[in-house]
Every structure is written in structure tokens, then in C-alpha cells.
Amino acid sequence: MQEHPSATLAHFAATLRFEDIPEAVVRRAEDLMLDWFGSTLAGKAGRPVQIIEAFARQMGPADGPCEVLISRAGTTPLFAAMVNAASSHWAEQDDVHNGSVFHPAAVVFPAVLALAQANGASGRELLTAAVAGYEVGIRVGEFLGRSHYRIFHTTGTAGTVAAAAAAGRMLKLTPEQMLDAFGSAGTQAAGLWEFLRDAADSKQLHTAKAASDGLMAACLAQAGFTGAKRILEGKQGMAAGMSTDADAARLTDRLGQRWALAETSFKFHASCRHTHPAADALLQVINEHHLRPEQIARVTAHVHQGAIDVLGPVTNPQTVHQAKFSMGTVLGLIAQFHAAGMKEFNDAFDYIAIRAFRDRVTMRLDQEVDNAYPLRWIGKVTVETVDGQRFEGRVDEPKGDPANTLSREELESKALRLAEFSGAASSDEMRAAFERLWHIARADVVGRLLP
């Protein structure tokens, strides 16, 4: 096989061994899987997720070896991956990698869990495949660049290739087969931001299709189905059609030395990640100066261009999910409740006081913040009070970033809150699942996560 960036990346994914992965990265993968589990259970409350689950029940078998977490039904790997991926991206609390602006867990773990349960794979095999998916997907997202993200939802595009890499490693594809899987995944990759303007349900479809299409691409490759060999960097490949600033060197950046999975952040607030830095900075100002919402006349969020591109179209949110992409709504909840979690959004996103605060918030492009993005997501706000005072807030590492991460206790607490919100599992069931997930590397066979 002639070596080129796509082939090098495929070879890495196909040949990665558990023994190659540093212990700290394995532990981080366990953290990320538990965090994904909680986010997936939260999706039980989501109408778009319920529709996708109903579709899967209609089209799929009545039973199967793979677990649909929100209903505890069994089905095929394809439909389990589809529903679990849709569900895990609904609450806006799944993980994110800053540099690629990509949510890996929502597309990687649904694919590897489904195949592990279908094939009786071990926990070590699952974790190895998950790491392969993260490393590939993050690099593809970085390769596609900032220009890609202005139009395309990277989790739907790079995520399809990530799911193919993860599924391909679960199926023990050869490097040549893995490259074919990349080709079939890349030609299906899709996901456009236009849905935000209409409060449409497309975001759950993006992850559902990315996970299931990536899984399908890997299964087809195993059976001998070929794909484009340069689907990423070729003259008519993904970058050619989806990017103006693609850099092929990012595809193979320090493979086996730099573990991009370990750079992934947890989401503390239940909203679009672009709102988090400003939310943390505003909370800092409120706590330091003991400000009440009615004392705040104006808030200026100093942001990167990506935040303006994604959040700017949402000026009058009509649904809970759309409100999570409204900087004014998120900062209003922070000012009112000192939190922007599932309960706050569900109960109060359209309160008169929150709507009024939303109108007092503006976003302004900040050169320092924009230059640091996407590697660093700096939070800066200017708060002006009704009595003429002016306060500046700044957060260099938003809560959940690797340098300001969530502990395992905080991850458990977050997952418990999400499951309680949706009613998807009891606290006893959750704690039993935590025990299995914290020790999944020791499992000879990956079984069901819930009874």
C-alpha cells in the first residue's frame, strides 16, 4: 500500500494495540465513556431521540444482542449505534475536543459498544477501538480546519470517519481494509449548520448517521467493499469539497506520541460549548462582586469567530434545544441561577426575566480570543451595572478543560443528574453501571451496562 496521509492514519488505527496506549490515556478513555453514558441516558427525554428510536424499532428486529440504552431494548449493531449516538448528543453535555471542535464520544462509543456486545469482545478491545476512533476523528477535524466548521457540523463529518476507525478496529480490519472503510465513511459524511435557524432536529440525525454510517463502512470493508483511497486529501475528497484551509500534516500529527484523546474536554454546562467560556467568566464576576441579575445592565461576551458563526443565527430561541445555542439565554440562566443545566433550561429558558437578560447580552469578536481558538477557548466578558460600574471577567481554562477537568466524583454526579432528569435509570442502577465502567478494562466480555 502506497503511503500517504489517509493510508498512514488508517494503518495506525488498524494496528493500534492496547499495550501501545499509555495508562493515563486508558484511564481518560474510561472517564470519557462514563461521561458519554450519562449523556446518552439524558437523551431519553428528547423528542427527536424518541422519533429516531421509533424509526429504529420499525426498521430493525424485535430483539438483538446490542443495547439501546434509553429503552433497554436489544437490536442490531447498526440500530443500537444509531439510537445511542442520537441520544448522547441531545443534552449538549457530551465531550468536545477544542482543537478540532468535534464531539468524539457521541459517534465513537455507540459504534464500539454495539460491536463489542454483538461480538463478545473484551473491555480492552473496546477501549483500544475507542482510542483509535478518537485519534482519527480529532485529526480529521483538525485537518478540515476552521473554514469547514463555518458551514459543516464537524461531528457529523469527521465523526463518520471516526466511527469507521473505531468500528474497524473492533472488527480487526487490516490497514488496507481500514483505508477502504475511511473511503466509504468519507463519501457519506455530512452535517450542515443551517438547522440552527429553524430549531430543527438535525443535530441528532448528524450523530445518528455518523455512528451508523461509520459502522456500516467498516462492516462493508470487512466484506471486501472498496472505498476511495484518498477520501480525505484527494483532489475530489472531503477537504476539496468542504474546506479552504485544510492541512494534510494534521492528519498524521505525532501519531502514537501525541494522544489527542487526552486533550478532550468535558462539558459542564448543558449548552453549546461556544457559550461555556463566557458563562464561566460571567459567573466569576457575579461571585466576586455579588451581583444580582437586576443589577446588570449589559454584558459583552468577547468571543472567537466560531462562536459568532454558530450562535449568531439564534436571536429568538423557540425551543429548549435552540436556547442552548443562544449566548444571551445561557448567560441569563447563569445570572439568575448560577447554573445552566438541564433543569434550568427546561424550566426557565423562556422566562420573562431570562428573555429580558438575553436582550442585554451582545457578542463581540475579540482578536486575542480568536487568535487562541480553537486550541484554547478563552472566556472574557465585560459587565456593566445599572449604577455605572464596570467589571471584567476572564477564564483561560473553562470548567471541564483538561487543565480544569472534572474528577471522577464530579463525572458520577453529572451522570446521576442526567439520568435523574430523564428518568432513564435509578441511582442504584447508575452506581452499578459506574462500577462496571470504571473496571471495563478488566472485563473479558463487554455485557449490558444496564439490567
Side-chain angles (χ1 to χ4, degrees), residues 360-380:
R360 304 201 294 270
V361 174
T362 58
M363 290 188 291
R364 181 178 299 166
L365 181 65
D366 184 285
Q367 204 58 56
E368 180 198 13
V369 175
D370 194 55
N371 288 342
Y373 174 83
L375 293 179
R376 296 174 59 220
W377 296 41
I378 298 171
K380 292 169 65 176

Side-chain angles (χ1 to χ4, degrees), residues 293-294 296-300 353 355-362:
E294 62 271 19
I296 297 174
R298 280 178 295 279
V299 178
T300 301
R355 293 204 308 268
F357 196 97
R358 182 184 71 207
D359 294 337
R360 304 201 294 270
V361 174
T362 58

Side-chain angles (χ1 to χ4, degrees), residues 285 289-299 360 382-391:
V285 170
H289 300 284
H290 309 290
L291 295 178
R292 299 186 305 277
E294 62 271 19
Q295 294 177 285
I296 297 174
R298 280 178 295 279
V299 178
R360 304 201 294 270
T382 300
V383 178
E384 300 172 61
T385 64
V386 293
D387 62 358
Q389 297 183 83
R390 182 185 177 97
F391 303 113

Side-chain angles (χ1 to χ4, degrees), residues 283 286 293 331-341 343-345 347-349 351 354:
L283 189 58
I286 288 171
L331 297 191
L333 294 174
I334 290 291
Q336 189 73 40
F337 303 108
H338 294 196
K343 178 174 172 52
E344 287 76 24
F345 273 103
D347 293 349
F349 91 91
Y351 275 6
I354 301 301

Side-chain angles (χ1 to χ4, degrees), residues 134-157:
Y134 269 73
E135 298 302 315
V136 167
I138 287 168
R139 285 174 171 81
V140 172
E142 291 174 334
F143 155 71
L144 291 170
R146 291 180 65 167
S147 66
H148 177 78
Y149 188 75
R150 280 197 290 271
I151 304 296
F152 292 96
H153 181 202
T154 306
T155 305
T157 54

Side-chain angles (χ1 to χ4, degrees), residues 132-436:
Y134 269 73
E135 298 302 315
V136 167
I138 287 168
R139 285 174 171 81
V140 172
E142 291 174 334
F143 155 71
L144 291 170
R146 291 180 65 167
S147 66
H148 177 78
Y149 188 75
R150 280 197 290 271
I151 304 296
F152 292 96
H153 181 202
T154 306
T155 305
T157 54
T160 311
V161 185
R169 183 63 189 81
M170 283 299 303
L171 296 173
K172 299 181 173 62
L173 298 188
T174 67
E176 292 79 9
Q177 290 172 323
M178 185 70 81
L179 188 58
D180 284 330
F182 284 9
S184 292
T187 205
Q188 300 177 87
L192 297 164
W193 282 118
E194 183 62 23
F195 75 89
L196 282 174
R197 299 177 190 275
D198 307 307
D201 297 330
S202 307
K203 204 163 191 270
Q204 281 65 61
L205 185 63
H206 293 176
T207 51
K209 288 290 286 176
S212 57
D213 286 351
L215 187 151
M216 181 175 72
C219 291
L220 291 174
Q222 186 184 45
F225 195 92
T226 62
K229 302 301 186 284
R230 295 177 183 266
I231 196 65
L232 301 173
E233 76 280 19
K235 290 183 179 180
Q236 292 176 292
M238 289 179 71
M242 297 177 165
S243 175
T244 59
D245 63 343
D247 180 359
R250 294 174 180 155
L251 290 171
T252 56
D253 176 30
R254 292 166 286 159
L255 278 171
Q257 299 174 15
R258 169 211 176 197
W259 296 94
L261 176 147
E263 304 164 359
T264 306
S265 300
F266 300 106
K267 289 180 71 175
F268 188 66
H269 308 296
S271 60
C272 175
R273 176 64 171 175
H274 292 296
T275 67
H276 289 211
D280 286 0
L282 177 61
L283 189 58
Q284 177 193 84
V285 170
I286 288 171
N287 288 337
E288 183 176 345
H289 300 284
H290 309 290
L291 295 178
R292 299 186 305 277
E294 62 271 19
Q295 294 177 285
I296 297 174
R298 280 178 295 279
V299 178
T300 301
H302 304 274
V303 299
H304 49 263
Q305 185 62 46
I308 294 172
D309 292 340
V310 173
L311 306 177
V314 184
T315 56
N316 183 26
Q318 299 299 303
T319 67
V320 169
H321 194 261
Q322 194 181 33
K324 295 182 177 197
F325 291 80
S326 162
M327 180 68 85
T329 301
V330 174
L331 297 191
L333 294 174
I334 290 291
Q336 189 73 40
F337 303 108
H338 294 196
M342 297 294 293
K343 178 174 172 52
E344 287 76 24
F345 273 103
N346 194 63
D347 293 349
F349 91 91
D350 204 33
Y351 275 6
I352 292 174
I354 301 301
R355 293 204 308 268
F357 196 97
R358 182 184 71 207
D359 294 337
R360 304 201 294 270
V361 174
T362 58
M363 290 188 291
R364 181 178 299 166
L365 181 65
D366 184 285
Q367 204 58 56
E368 180 198 13
V369 175
D370 194 55
N371 288 342
Y373 174 83
L375 293 179
R376 296 174 59 220
W377 296 41
I378 298 171
K380 292 169 65 176
V381 297
T382 300
V383 178
E384 300 172 61
T385 64
V386 293
D387 62 358
Q389 297 183 83
R390 182 185 177 97
F391 303 113
E392 306 287 339
R394 179 187 180 108
V395 172
D396 288 301
E397 298 282 350
K399 181 70 171 174
D401 268 7
N404 187 17
T405 194
L406 302 184
S407 67
R408 288 197 160 184
E409 291 75 15
E410 288 175 311
L411 290 173
E412 288 187 0
S413 177
K414 173 185 170 183
L416 285 166
R417 290 195 304 273
L418 290 172
E420 180 182 12
F421 174 83
S422 68
S426 69
S427 59
D428 286 344
E429 289 172 331
M430 291 296 287
R431 295 193 185 282
F434 296 161
E435 186 67 18
R436 286 191 286 274

Side-chain angles (χ1 to χ4, degrees), residues 94-97 100 102-110 133-134 137-138 155 162 264:
D94 49 321
D95 65 16
V96 62
H97 180 268
S100 56
F102 166 50
H103 302 276
V107 294
V108 167
F109 284 116
Y134 269 73
I138 287 168
T155 305
T264 306

